[in-house]
Amino acid sequence: MEIFIINLIGATLRVSTPILLAAIGETYAERAGILNLGIEGTMFFGAFIGFFVADKSGSLWLGFLVAVLSGVVFGLLMALLTVTLGVNQHVSGLGITMLCTGLSLFAFRLNYGGRSIPPSIESFQQLAPFKNIPWLNTLTEQYLLTYVAFLVIVPLAWWLLYRTSFGLKIRSVGENPEAADAAGVNVFAVRYAALAIGGGLMAAGGAFLSLAQLGAFTHGIIAGRGWVAIAIVIFGNWNPVRAMWGALIFGGTSALQLRLQTMGLQLPIPYETFLALPYIVTIIALVLAGRNASYPAALLKPYRRE
Amino acid sequence: METSRLRLRFVKTDNPPVWVRPLIPVLALVVTFILTSALIFWANANPFETYYHFLIAPLTTKVSALEILVKATPLMLTGAAVTFAFAAGYYNIGAEGQLFAGAIAAAGLGVAMKEVPAFITIPTIVIAGFAAGMLWATIPALLKVKLQVDEVVTTLLLNSVMGFIVSALLNGPWRDPNSGWPQSPEIGASAIFFKLIPRSRLNLGFVIGILVILVLWFVLTRTSFGLKMRAVGLGKPAARFAGIHVGRTTLIAALVSGGIAGIAGVAEVAGIQYHLIGDLSAGYGYTGIIIATLGSLNAVGVFIASLFFGLVDAGAQTVSRVLGVPVYLGEITQATMLLVALGFFLLQRYRLRRM
């Protein structure tokens, strides 16, 4: 039983990583007043381009870097549409998701054809700092990116948002852009920056899936994880640390369903019930948290200097 | 001091010249063509030849021209579904899942009603598909109206859940034992939408699509409910102040939207596939959002946009078959056109002035 629980916690950390990165990225975008529904596509493109570059160059880190840069580019495209042009944020985001999906699948088909078994690469190795203590090893044998996400990105994102003037600017342009502008903040530049950071983190989450967790790229690699991340942002009340708890709840449910599946229990319900469970739990968590959700006041509203 | 520099500035204008509006789709198409030609070069094809097969060749033969209407049918329905919700300010991103809810109803009843004559079966599956889409849309709609839970997120998540339900059905109780693919048994002949033109795939679904577009036009422009919906869409506080029951209006718009998306699923099962399959929809629910937007949330616009996207979908298949350019060029073109057109729509509100 202890083994089962330790196993489960270890798997939870692994499964939560991509969602956590994406959720923090979305937190930054939304804190600046932009709902980025391009998240699903940005993750998908990050997963693809990371895999593609790593496969062609032989360097996983180069693949990861290019993936993050691609996310920054799509974040800036989102900024061009919603910040400069003031286009509807829902539609722009979904358009970017569609564009990213199309581009990834186009390039994938062109380079790998329509083969039924997806090509794979040698993925990142897991770190094992406590090899000699079995139970601790089960818990801590994780990818470097998982360590970075939980121990560096989360505190850094929190600190940046709440303890620096840059974070104050992000929050102010998302709450009251007129006042921020009057106080001398460049609303447009801050929103561009927040979307660029956010896009980079989303793509990093996608690249984690293809370069670490799977070592391959498949059509269903993201499978709605971006939408889950958006739910987690609301659940976490736009706070990176609380988003981490949300990501862990989703990750925990996912890890649990994977374990239950591999245990091969003969259950009277289809295994898809377990696959759907994390999404349903996310909706329930959203409903429970929804009453206290305090949306950034300027979310969805383009800012115009008239 | 006079400066000799020529200074140009964008100035906001409320009445753009009439010639600008029809120019936007043309400009958007040209820019999209330029942007996507890089990809076409990458696929070792000639952009001009590709675009000929993409947008012109499908119009030149009767078979391929009818195929455009076949491809436009689900887009017309999901476009109308999304318009209905968006017009009331309810962001239903769940048309994809609601489409599958309707498809499940059609596939189930289509098999169960094998012995029933077509004039009963066909109306029944259409109504059942509407009801199923509506039922699936009830969850996020009630959460929104009663508990203020954001509908964008819940509808997106429920699309994933619906994907698992379909997969559970196809791998479990509904799996056709005579087929190697996960698909449900073929629906009865009485449930199959009859062909409008022999030896084509064009079927009753297209007529239903046009009827729905007409109803959409009528409701939005000729009824007091349409007026209420648009008032709620423009601003909830003002609508409430005007005495409109905002919650009820939103709820009805959301449910009808889900129902129309459900009919799209019925049309795909009864008109094209005759089975429930996991790949029933090529993201039609999401494309519907693009169609509704490009159609400026009005019925005529949705109709034109869905025909054009039908052409793009049919053309992408031709291009893939003839020139070996991956079929995803269609999706990329649609997304690029959307983003470019959105930019141009805004620019039409500005004029270039010399300062």
Side-chain angles (χ1 to χ4, degrees):
Chain A
M1 192 61 199
E2 287 84 28
I3 299 292
F4 178 81
I5 290 173
I6 291 167
N7 245 314
L8 192 66
I9 298 173
T12 297
L13 293 170
R14 207 157 25 248
V15 176
S16 310
T17 305
I19 312 234
L20 175 62
L21 289 168
I24 292 178
E26 184 71 28
T27 299
Y28 268 67
E30 292 192 19
R31 273 291 180 149
I34 314 288
L35 170 73
N36 188 356
L37 292 186
I39 185 169
E40 178 85 3
T42 307
M43 289 180 81
F44 195 71
F45 194 84
F48 164 72
I49 201 77
F51 172 82
F52 178 64
V53 172
D55 184 35
K56 297 292 167 195
S57 72
S59 163
L60 290 165
W61 283 111
L62 184 65
F64 186 75
L65 185 72
V66 173
V68 171
L69 287 176
S70 79
V72 171
V73 169
F74 286 116
L76 292 174
L77 176 62
M78 182 71 189
L80 174 69
L81 289 161
T82 57
V83 179
T84 303
L85 295 172
V87 173
N88 176 304
Q89 295 180 8
H90 292 111
V91 178
S92 318
L94 289 168
I96 287 180
T97 284
M98 203 171 162
L99 179 68
C100 288
T101 313
L103 285 174
S104 309
L105 294 177
F106 184 92
F108 187 72
R109 172 66 59 84
L110 212 54
N111 285 282
Y112 299 98
R115 60 179 92 168
S116 51
I117 300 162
S120 59
I121 49 169
E122 191 75 30
S123 66
F124 280 117
Q125 293 293 310
Q126 303 198 55
L127 306 181
F130 299 101
K131 249 197 172 86
N132 301 323
I133 314 167
W135 69 271
L136 199 53
N137 187 46
T138 315
L139 200 63
T140 55
E141 188 174 12
Q142 302 282 357
Y143 298 103
L144 175 62
L145 286 171
T146 301
Y147 278 103
V148 172
F150 280 91
L151 300 178
V152 180
I153 303 280
V154 171
L156 187 68
W158 182 87
W159 177 78
L160 200 64
L161 201 55
Y162 292 103
R163 290 289 181 271
T164 66
S165 70
F166 177 63
L168 181 64
K169 283 178 187 165
I170 291 184
R171 287 182 290 136
S172 67
V173 302
E175 284 298 330
N176 192 339
E178 290 81 11
D181 195 359
V185 175
N186 186 338
V187 177
F188 300 95
V190 172
R191 286 186 165 175
Y192 264 82
L195 280 167
I197 295 171
L201 286 167
M202 291 165 192
F208 175 83
L209 283 165
S210 64
L211 296 177
Q213 208 172 316
L214 293 176
F217 175 79
T218 63
H219 285 206
I221 192 164
I222 305 301
R225 284 183 175 83
W227 313 137
V228 171
I230 290 193
I232 284 171
V233 172
I234 301 174
F235 173 82
N237 227 353
W238 295 269
N239 177 328
V241 177
R242 289 171 70 170
M244 180 181 78
W245 299 117
L248 285 170
I249 292 175
F250 177 87
T253 325
S254 290
L256 184 65
Q257 67 87 8
L258 280 170
R259 287 292 169 283
L260 291 175
Q261 265 190 69
T262 49
M263 282 163 74
L265 302 173
Q266 284 301 316
L267 294 168
I269 44 171
Y271 80 95
E272 282 90 353
T273 314
F274 297 114
L275 291 175
L277 199 61
Y279 297 84
I280 296 166
V281 168
T282 306
I283 293 175
I284 294 170
L286 196 59
V287 173
L288 296 179
R291 291 167 183 277
N292 307 319
S294 49
Y295 283 77
L299 192 68
L300 299 177
K301 296 191 187 93
Y303 179 61
R304 283 281 158 272
R305 222 175 170 180
E306 306 277 7
Chain B
M1 279 287 281
E2 284 259 329
T3 53
S4 58
R5 272 188 305 151
L6 178 68
R7 295 191 47 158
L8 292 170
R9 242 187 95 177
F10 281 114
V11 181
K12 199 164 179 164
T13 167
D14 285 330
N15 38 346
V18 270
W19 52 266
V20 170
R21 218 178 152 76
L23 201 65
I24 288 172
V26 179
L27 270 176
L29 192 61
V30 172
V31 173
T32 303
F33 171 72
I34 295 167
L35 290 174
T36 50
S37 34
L39 292 173
I40 299 170
F41 276 123
W42 191 23
N44 286 321
N46 176 329
F48 289 98
E49 196 187 351
T50 304
Y51 262 70
Y52 171 77
H53 286 290
F54 198 10
L55 298 181
I56 307 208
L59 296 165
T60 54
T61 72
K62 190 182 151 200
V63 177
S64 55
L66 291 174
E67 192 60 20
I68 295 170
L69 304 182
V70 173
K71 297 275 182 206
T73 301
L75 301 179
M76 231 181 261
L77 286 161
T78 54
V82 172
T83 301
F84 214 90
F86 276 36
Y90 179 83
Y91 285 96
N92 177 17
I93 320 286
E96 185 78 3
Q98 292 142 14
L99 179 152
F100 272 102
I104 290 174
L109 285 174
V111 171
M113 294 175 73
K114 270 198 167 124
E115 308 301 324
V116 182
F119 74 91
I120 299 174
T121 311
I122 287 178
T124 308
I125 60 170
V126 173
I127 293 167
F130 186 90
M134 206 162 107
L135 199 67
W136 191 244
T138 307
I139 307 168
L142 280 181
L143 287 178
K144 167 75 174 185
V145 173
K146 299 289 175 201
L147 298 170
Q148 286 81 47
V149 180
D150 186 44
E151 76 275 21
V152 173
V153 186
T154 47
T155 49
L156 281 168
L157 290 172
L158 285 170
N159 286 345
S160 302
V161 174
M162 179 51 82
F164 293 123
I165 294 178
V166 170
S167 153
L169 280 174
L170 296 182
N171 290 314
W174 279 19
R175 176 155 198 157
D176 182 357
N178 305 319
S179 160
W181 299 101
Q183 61 176 29
S184 71
E186 185 160 324
I187 57 173
S190 67
I192 289 177
F193 282 180
F194 52 83
K195 298 270 186 289
L196 298 180
I197 293 168
R199 282 192 301 279
S200 79
R201 298 206 299 162
L202 193 66
N203 61 75
L204 180 66
F206 182 69
V207 178
I208 296 178
I210 294 205
L211 286 177
V212 167
I213 293 276
L214 287 174
V215 171
L216 175 73
W217 172 82
F218 183 78
V219 171
L220 281 181
T221 61
R222 293 286 181 277
T223 66
S224 69
F225 183 73
L227 194 68
K228 281 182 196 165
M229 264 172 58
R230 282 182 292 136
V232 173
L234 286 174
K236 291 191 172 64
R240 200 169 282 124
F241 188 71
I244 295 171
H245 216 301
V246 171
R248 194 164 59 202
T249 309
T250 308
L251 192 63
I252 295 173
L255 296 192
V256 174
S257 169
I260 299 173
I263 295 181
V266 175
E268 284 308 287
V269 169
I272 306 289
Q273 304 288 354
Y274 311 145
H275 304 269
L276 177 67
I277 52 168
D279 290 340
L280 188 75
S281 160
Y284 297 138
Y286 298 106
T287 314
I289 296 164
I290 299 186
I291 303 241
T293 307
L294 288 179
S296 320
L297 298 187
N298 79 60
V300 181
V302 167
F303 181 66
I304 295 171
S306 51
L307 286 183
F308 181 72
F309 272 38
L311 169 65
V312 171
D313 276 346
Q317 289 187 342
T318 316
V319 166
S320 147
R321 201 175 50 241
V322 178
L323 300 172
V325 177
V327 69
Y328 304 106
L329 180 65
E331 198 176 342
I332 297 171
T333 304
Q334 292 175 347
T336 311
M337 260 205 87
L338 169 80
L339 299 178
V340 172
L342 283 175
F344 281 131
F345 270 133
L346 284 154
L347 281 182
Q348 74 169 338
R349 288 199 224 130
Y350 291 86
R351 281 184 149 172
L352 209 52
R353 283 259 170 79
R354 191 173 297 171
M355 297 306 286

